[in-house]
Short mmCIF file of all heavy atoms in Angstrom, two decimals:
data_model
loop_
_atom_site.label_atom_id
_atom_site.label_comp_id
_atom_site.label_asym_id
_atom_site.label_seq_id
_atom_site.Cartn_x
_atom_site.Cartn_y
_atom_site.Cartn_z
N GLU H 131 -2.30 10.93 5.16
CA GLU H 131 -3.15 9.93 5.82
C GLU H 131 -4.04 9.16 4.85
O GLU H 131 -4.92 8.42 5.25
CB GLU H 131 -4.02 10.61 6.87
CG GLU H 131 -3.22 11.23 7.99
CD GLU H 131 -4.10 11.90 9.02
OE1 GLU H 131 -5.32 11.66 9.03
OE2 GLU H 131 -3.56 12.68 9.83
N ARG H 143 -2.68 -17.58 -10.46
CA ARG H 143 -3.97 -18.28 -10.48
C ARG H 143 -4.24 -18.93 -11.83
O ARG H 143 -5.26 -19.58 -12.01
CB ARG H 143 -5.10 -17.29 -10.16
CG ARG H 143 -4.95 -16.66 -8.77
CD ARG H 143 -5.93 -15.52 -8.59
NE ARG H 143 -5.50 -14.40 -9.44
CZ ARG H 143 -6.22 -13.31 -9.66
NH1 ARG H 143 -7.40 -13.18 -9.12
NH2 ARG H 143 -5.75 -12.35 -10.44
N PRO H 145 -4.31 -21.51 -14.81
CA PRO H 145 -4.26 -22.98 -14.81
C PRO H 145 -3.00 -23.56 -15.45
O PRO H 145 -2.61 -24.67 -15.12
CB PRO H 145 -5.51 -23.40 -15.57
CG PRO H 145 -6.03 -22.19 -16.24
CD PRO H 145 -5.45 -20.99 -15.56
N ALA H 147 0.04 -22.28 -15.12
CA ALA H 147 1.23 -21.80 -14.41
C ALA H 147 1.90 -22.92 -13.62
O ALA H 147 1.25 -23.81 -13.10
CB ALA H 147 0.83 -20.68 -13.45
N LYS H 150 6.41 -22.06 -9.59
CA LYS H 150 7.39 -20.98 -9.45
C LYS H 150 6.95 -19.70 -10.17
O LYS H 150 7.73 -18.77 -10.33
CB LYS H 150 8.75 -21.42 -9.99
CG LYS H 150 9.39 -22.53 -9.17
CD LYS H 150 9.89 -21.97 -7.87
CE LYS H 150 10.70 -23.02 -7.12
NZ LYS H 150 11.25 -22.49 -5.89
N ILE H 154 0.95 -10.63 -10.57
CA ILE H 154 0.51 -9.34 -10.05
C ILE H 154 -1.01 -9.34 -10.29
O ILE H 154 -1.46 -9.25 -11.43
CB ILE H 154 1.18 -8.16 -10.79
CG1 ILE H 154 2.71 -8.22 -10.66
CG2 ILE H 154 0.62 -6.83 -10.28
CD1 ILE H 154 3.24 -8.09 -9.26
N TYR H 158 -3.09 -0.53 -8.52
CA TYR H 158 -3.90 0.66 -8.73
C TYR H 158 -3.22 1.86 -8.09
O TYR H 158 -2.71 1.76 -6.98
CB TYR H 158 -5.30 0.50 -8.10
CG TYR H 158 -6.08 -0.65 -8.66
CD1 TYR H 158 -6.19 -1.84 -7.96
CD2 TYR H 158 -6.70 -0.56 -9.90
CE1 TYR H 158 -6.91 -2.91 -8.47
CE2 TYR H 158 -7.42 -1.63 -10.43
CZ TYR H 158 -7.51 -2.80 -9.70
OH TYR H 158 -8.21 -3.86 -10.21
N TRP H 164 -0.48 9.52 -10.78
CA TRP H 164 0.24 8.94 -11.91
C TRP H 164 1.47 9.78 -12.21
O TRP H 164 1.47 10.99 -12.07
CB TRP H 164 -0.65 8.88 -13.14
CG TRP H 164 -1.77 7.88 -13.08
CD1 TRP H 164 -1.99 6.95 -12.12
CD2 TRP H 164 -2.82 7.74 -14.01
NE1 TRP H 164 -3.12 6.23 -12.40
CE2 TRP H 164 -3.65 6.69 -13.56
CE3 TRP H 164 -3.16 8.39 -15.19
CZ2 TRP H 164 -4.79 6.28 -14.25
CZ3 TRP H 164 -4.29 7.98 -15.88
CH2 TRP H 164 -5.09 6.93 -15.41
N GLY H 167 5.93 8.35 -9.44
CA GLY H 167 6.79 7.32 -8.88
C GLY H 167 6.08 6.34 -7.95
O GLY H 167 6.68 5.36 -7.52
N ARG H 170 5.68 2.88 -9.72
CA ARG H 170 7.01 2.28 -9.87
C ARG H 170 7.49 1.73 -8.53
O ARG H 170 8.03 0.63 -8.46
CB ARG H 170 7.98 3.31 -10.42
CG ARG H 170 9.35 2.76 -10.70
CD ARG H 170 10.13 3.65 -11.63
NE ARG H 170 9.58 3.70 -12.98
CZ ARG H 170 9.72 2.73 -13.90
NH1 ARG H 170 10.41 1.65 -13.60
NH2 ARG H 170 9.19 2.84 -15.09
N LEU H 172 5.59 0.80 -5.96
CA LEU H 172 4.74 -0.34 -5.60
C LEU H 172 5.15 -1.60 -6.36
O LEU H 172 5.32 -2.66 -5.76
CB LEU H 172 3.27 -0.02 -5.87
CG LEU H 172 2.58 0.92 -4.90
CD1 LEU H 172 1.23 1.37 -5.48
CD2 LEU H 172 2.39 0.25 -3.55
N ALA H 175 8.61 -2.94 -5.27
CA ALA H 175 8.54 -3.63 -3.98
C ALA H 175 7.91 -5.01 -4.13
O ALA H 175 8.37 -5.98 -3.54
CB ALA H 175 7.76 -2.78 -2.98
N GLN H 184 11.21 -16.75 -3.75
CA GLN H 184 11.76 -17.76 -4.65
C GLN H 184 10.92 -18.01 -5.90
O GLN H 184 11.05 -19.06 -6.54
CB GLN H 184 12.01 -19.08 -3.92
CG GLN H 184 12.87 -18.96 -2.68
CD GLN H 184 14.25 -18.39 -2.97
OE1 GLN H 184 14.95 -18.88 -3.83
NE2 GLN H 184 14.64 -17.34 -2.26
N GLU H 186 10.23 -17.61 -9.81
CA GLU H 186 11.16 -17.46 -10.92
C GLU H 186 10.63 -16.56 -12.03
O GLU H 186 11.41 -16.07 -12.85
CB GLU H 186 11.51 -18.83 -11.49
CG GLU H 186 12.28 -19.69 -10.50
CD GLU H 186 12.60 -21.06 -11.03
OE1 GLU H 186 12.16 -21.41 -12.16
OE2 GLU H 186 13.30 -21.80 -10.31
N LEU H 190 1.05 -10.96 -15.40
CA LEU H 190 -0.08 -10.08 -15.09
C LEU H 190 -0.95 -10.00 -16.33
O LEU H 190 -0.52 -10.34 -17.43
CB LEU H 190 0.40 -8.69 -14.65
CG LEU H 190 1.32 -7.92 -15.58
CD1 LEU H 190 0.57 -7.19 -16.67
CD2 LEU H 190 2.15 -6.94 -14.78
N TRP H 191 -2.19 -9.61 -16.13
CA TRP H 191 -3.14 -9.46 -17.24
C TRP H 191 -3.46 -7.99 -17.42
O TRP H 191 -3.64 -7.26 -16.44
CB TRP H 191 -4.41 -10.25 -16.95
CG TRP H 191 -4.19 -11.73 -16.99
CD1 TRP H 191 -3.85 -12.53 -15.93
CD2 TRP H 191 -4.26 -12.58 -18.13
NE1 TRP H 191 -3.71 -13.83 -16.37
CE2 TRP H 191 -3.96 -13.89 -17.71
CE3 TRP H 191 -4.55 -12.35 -19.48
CZ2 TRP H 191 -3.95 -14.97 -18.58
CZ3 TRP H 191 -4.54 -13.43 -20.34
CH2 TRP H 191 -4.24 -14.72 -19.89
N LEU H 193 -5.52 -5.02 -20.19
CA LEU H 193 -6.40 -4.77 -21.34
C LEU H 193 -5.58 -4.26 -22.52
O LEU H 193 -4.71 -3.40 -22.35
CB LEU H 193 -7.46 -3.73 -20.98
CG LEU H 193 -8.38 -4.07 -19.83
CD1 LEU H 193 -9.28 -2.89 -19.51
CD2 LEU H 193 -9.21 -5.30 -20.15
N LYS H 194 -5.86 -4.76 -23.70
CA LYS H 194 -5.11 -4.33 -24.88
C LYS H 194 -5.17 -2.82 -25.09
O LYS H 194 -4.15 -2.20 -25.38
CB LYS H 194 -5.59 -5.06 -26.13
CG LYS H 194 -4.78 -4.70 -27.35
CD LYS H 194 -5.17 -5.46 -28.58
CE LYS H 194 -4.27 -5.08 -29.75
NZ LYS H 194 -4.62 -5.81 -30.95
N VAL H 214 -4.22 -14.96 -24.22
CA VAL H 214 -5.35 -14.02 -24.27
C VAL H 214 -6.52 -14.67 -23.54
O VAL H 214 -6.72 -15.88 -23.62
CB VAL H 214 -5.75 -13.74 -25.73
CG1 VAL H 214 -6.94 -12.81 -25.80
CG2 VAL H 214 -4.58 -13.18 -26.52
N ASP H 216 -10.80 -13.84 -22.34
CA ASP H 216 -11.97 -12.98 -22.30
C ASP H 216 -12.58 -13.10 -20.92
O ASP H 216 -12.98 -14.18 -20.50
CB ASP H 216 -12.99 -13.39 -23.36
CG ASP H 216 -12.52 -13.05 -24.76
OD1 ASP H 216 -11.85 -12.02 -24.92
OD2 ASP H 216 -12.81 -13.83 -25.69
N ASN H 217 -12.60 -12.00 -20.21
CA ASN H 217 -13.13 -11.96 -18.86
C ASN H 217 -14.55 -11.44 -18.94
O ASN H 217 -14.79 -10.32 -19.34
CB ASN H 217 -12.25 -11.04 -18.00
CG ASN H 217 -12.68 -10.99 -16.57
OD1 ASN H 217 -13.85 -11.18 -16.25
ND2 ASN H 217 -11.74 -10.72 -15.69
N ASP H 218 -15.51 -12.28 -18.54
CA ASP H 218 -16.91 -11.85 -18.56
C ASP H 218 -17.49 -11.82 -17.15
O ASP H 218 -18.68 -11.99 -16.95
CB ASP H 218 -17.75 -12.71 -19.50
CG ASP H 218 -17.77 -14.18 -19.12
OD1 ASP H 218 -17.11 -14.56 -18.14
OD2 ASP H 218 -18.44 -14.96 -19.81
N TRP H 220 -18.08 -9.37 -15.45
CA TRP H 220 -18.98 -8.23 -15.31
C TRP H 220 -20.39 -8.56 -15.78
O TRP H 220 -21.31 -7.79 -15.57
CB TRP H 220 -18.44 -7.03 -16.08
CG TRP H 220 -17.12 -6.59 -15.56
CD1 TRP H 220 -15.89 -6.92 -16.06
CD2 TRP H 220 -16.87 -5.78 -14.43
NE1 TRP H 220 -14.90 -6.35 -15.31
CE2 TRP H 220 -15.47 -5.64 -14.29
CE3 TRP H 220 -17.70 -5.16 -13.50
CZ2 TRP H 220 -14.89 -4.90 -13.28
CZ3 TRP H 220 -17.11 -4.42 -12.49
CH2 TRP H 220 -15.74 -4.30 -12.39
N THR H 222 -22.25 -8.07 -18.10
CA THR H 222 -22.85 -7.24 -19.14
C THR H 222 -21.88 -6.94 -20.28
O THR H 222 -22.30 -6.57 -21.36
CB THR H 222 -23.36 -5.91 -18.57
OG1 THR H 222 -22.28 -5.24 -17.93
CG2 THR H 222 -24.49 -6.14 -17.58
N ARG H 224 -17.84 -8.10 -22.06
CA ARG H 224 -16.69 -9.01 -22.11
C ARG H 224 -15.44 -8.17 -22.28
O ARG H 224 -15.39 -7.28 -23.13
CB ARG H 224 -16.83 -10.00 -23.26
CG ARG H 224 -15.64 -10.95 -23.33
CD ARG H 224 -15.78 -11.94 -24.44
NE ARG H 224 -16.94 -12.77 -24.19
CZ ARG H 224 -17.57 -13.45 -25.14
NH1 ARG H 224 -17.18 -13.38 -26.38
NH2 ARG H 224 -18.61 -14.18 -24.84
N ARG H 229 -1.88 -11.43 -21.48
CA ARG H 229 -0.95 -11.74 -20.39
C ARG H 229 0.45 -11.26 -20.73
O ARG H 229 0.95 -11.46 -21.83
CB ARG H 229 -0.94 -13.24 -20.11
CG ARG H 229 -0.14 -13.59 -18.85
CD ARG H 229 -0.34 -15.01 -18.43
NE ARG H 229 0.13 -15.93 -19.45
CZ ARG H 229 -0.15 -17.24 -19.45
NH1 ARG H 229 -0.90 -17.77 -18.49
NH2 ARG H 229 0.32 -18.01 -20.42
N ARG H 231 4.56 -11.22 -19.15
CA ARG H 231 5.41 -12.09 -18.34
C ARG H 231 6.79 -11.45 -18.16
O ARG H 231 7.30 -10.77 -19.05
CB ARG H 231 5.57 -13.45 -19.05
CG ARG H 231 6.35 -14.50 -18.30
CD ARG H 231 6.33 -15.82 -19.07
NE ARG H 231 4.98 -16.31 -19.30
CZ ARG H 231 4.32 -17.13 -18.49
NH1 ARG H 231 4.89 -17.54 -17.37
NH2 ARG H 231 3.11 -17.53 -18.79
N SER H 233 10.71 -12.52 -16.28
CA SER H 233 11.57 -13.44 -15.53
C SER H 233 12.06 -12.72 -14.28
O SER H 233 12.46 -11.55 -14.34
CB SER H 233 12.76 -13.88 -16.38
OG SER H 233 13.66 -14.62 -15.59
N LEU H 234 12.05 -13.42 -13.16
CA LEU H 234 12.56 -12.87 -11.90
C LEU H 234 13.94 -13.41 -11.57
O LEU H 234 14.51 -13.08 -10.54
CB LEU H 234 11.59 -13.21 -10.75
CG LEU H 234 10.22 -12.56 -10.84
CD1 LEU H 234 9.32 -13.07 -9.73
CD2 LEU H 234 10.34 -11.05 -10.77
#
Side-chain angles (χ1 to χ4, degrees):
E131 296 180 14
R143 299 170 289 170
K150 294 287 188 177
I154 301 297
Y158 300 102
W164 290 353
R170 184 162 292 284
L172 285 168
Q184 306 301 307
E186 294 179 356
L190 56 82
W191 291 91
L193 300 175
K194 183 177 182 179
V214 178
D216 289 325
N217 183 332
D218 60 359
W220 298 97
T222 57
R224 179 179 298 159
R229 188 169 63 193
R231 184 176 302 270
S233 173
L234 294 174

